[in-house]
């Protein structure tokens, strides 16, 4: 439909008279792939994303755990975070221009800010949702604060943290592209905006496709990393979802209770 509407320059409520066709976009994409400038833009955008997102992940997890575990940190940082969180990261472009000596550092700052709040909020909620009995069990066996943090808090909150990282990487792409369009030098966002200013509409669509592919690549990388870090979690076999209720789920629960009774009997305890 895109090809037909653009090829015949259909103008109804939507205007396709200047819309590039699919073939024109594909040809422009093929030409860009053979140029050094295209790969330089991709490298610059990926470098900014990786730097800003890695910094946001470290800071966000640290602050989220501190706010969830420490009443003092919650009192000091909680209100400040709630005031700053609604401010769009892209609105900080003027602040970044004033603060940092180079555009590169400013774009990394904006990218970090965009991912920081989703990671922090998800970490805070994940830590607060942990079952208290886990911590009590570790302390009963003589574990201290750092042992609880290493053995209970971080592993238990890891699925929630990874959810925040998945959201953060998507928000980071939105903000880094916008920042490159406003104040960047090189980068996919900068190149896309330059194509628009010179009316190179196939080039604009090439930039959009590149952004989508890079976003898919980085999101998949975060997901694969999360699966590796949480490989201890139980997962259903491929093509067979775990039972969630009904007679099948009841049988599984009855079997688990029966196994628990057998273990207690083996220890000489009453069931």
């Amino acid at each position: 439909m895109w090809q037909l509407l653009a090829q015949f320059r259909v103008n109804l409520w939507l205007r396709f008279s200047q819309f590039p066709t699919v073939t024109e976009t594909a040809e422009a994409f093929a030409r860009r792939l053979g140029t050094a400038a295209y790969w330089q833009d991709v490298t610059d955008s990926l470098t900014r994303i990786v730097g800003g997102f890695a910094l946001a992940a470290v800071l966000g997890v640290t602050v989220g755990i501190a706010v969830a575990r420490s009443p003092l940190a919650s009192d000091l940082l909680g209100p400040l975070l709630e005031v700053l969180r609604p401010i769009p990261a892209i609105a900080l472009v003027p602040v970044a221009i004033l603060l940092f000596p180079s555009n590169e550092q400013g774009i990394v700052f904006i990218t970090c800010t965009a991912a920081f709040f989703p990671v922090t909020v998800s970490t805070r909620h994940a830590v607060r949702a942990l079952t208290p009995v886990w911590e009590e069990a570790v302390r009963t066996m003589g574990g201290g604060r750092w042992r609880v943090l290493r053995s209970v808090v971080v592993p238990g909150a890891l699925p929630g943290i990874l959810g925040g990282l998945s959201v953060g990487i998507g928000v980071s792409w939105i903000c880094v592209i916008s920042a490159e369009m406003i104040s960047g030098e090189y980068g996919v966002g900068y190149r896309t905006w330059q194509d628009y200013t010179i009316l190179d509409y196939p080039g604009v669509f090439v930039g959009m496709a590149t952004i989508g592919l890079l976003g898919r690549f980085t999101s998949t990388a975060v997901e694969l990393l999360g699966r590796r870090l949480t490989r201890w979690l139980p997962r259903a076999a491929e093509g067979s979802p775990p039972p969630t209720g009904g007679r099948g789920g009841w049988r599984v629960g009855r079997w688990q209770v029966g196994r628990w009774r057998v273990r207690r009997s083996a220890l000489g305890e009453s069931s």
Side-chain angles (χ1 to χ4, degrees), residues 164-220:
L165 293 175
S166 298
V167 175
I169 191 67
V171 178
S172 295
W173 271 113
I174 296 173
C175 291
V176 74
I177 295 300
S178 301
E180 287 177 348
M181 288 182 175
I182 296 173
S183 63
E185 295 178 0
Y186 305 105
V188 178
Y190 171 82
R191 192 67 57 189
T192 302
W193 183 253
Q194 291 300 310
D195 290 335
Y196 174 74
T197 58
I198 63 175
L199 306 182
D200 183 6
Y201 297 122
V204 173
F205 279 81
V206 170
M208 293 167 58
T210 302
I211 295 166
L213 292 173
L214 291 175
R216 172 68 176 177
F217 170 75
T218 52
S219 297
T220 302

Side-chain angles (χ1 to χ4, degrees), residues 42-215:
V42 170
T43 302
D44 290 340
S45 294
L46 280 176
T47 301
R48 292 161 179 167
I49 278 287
V50 171
F53 181 71
L55 187 60
V58 174
L59 293 177
V61 172
T62 303
V63 173
I65 293 176
V67 170
R69 299 280 300 174
S70 171
L72 178 62
S74 179
D75 292 338
L76 293 177
L77 300 178
L80 180 62
L81 293 175
E82 292 303 319
V83 170
L84 296 177
R85 186 160 64 96
I87 301 176
I90 196 62
L92 299 177
V93 169
V95 177
I97 293 175
L98 293 174
L99 285 178
F100 294 94
S102 68
N103 289 339
E104 191 73 22
Q105 297 172 352
I107 293 175
V108 172
F109 164 74
I110 293 170
T111 306
C112 173
T113 305
F116 170 77
F117 290 103
V119 175
T120 302
V121 172
S122 63
T123 302
R124 181 184 63 188
H125 288 302
V127 172
R128 287 179 176 175
L130 292 176
T131 305
V133 70
W134 296 349
E135 179 176 351
E136 294 171 1
V138 175
R139 292 191 179 278
T140 300
M141 292 184 290
R145 178 181 302 177
W146 292 108
R147 181 66 177 180
V148 170
L149 185 66
R150 186 174 67 252
S151 302
V152 175
V153 175
V154 174
L158 197 54
I161 294 173
L162 293 170
L165 293 175
S166 298
V167 175
I169 191 67
V171 178
S172 295
W173 271 113
I174 296 173
C175 291
V176 74
I177 295 300
S178 301
E180 287 177 348
M181 288 182 175
I182 296 173
S183 63
E185 295 178 0
Y186 305 105
V188 178
Y190 171 82
R191 192 67 57 189
T192 302
W193 183 253
Q194 291 300 310
D195 290 335
Y196 174 74
T197 58
I198 63 175
L199 306 182
D200 183 6
Y201 297 122
V204 173
F205 279 81
V206 170
M208 293 167 58
T210 302
I211 295 166
L213 292 173
L214 291 175

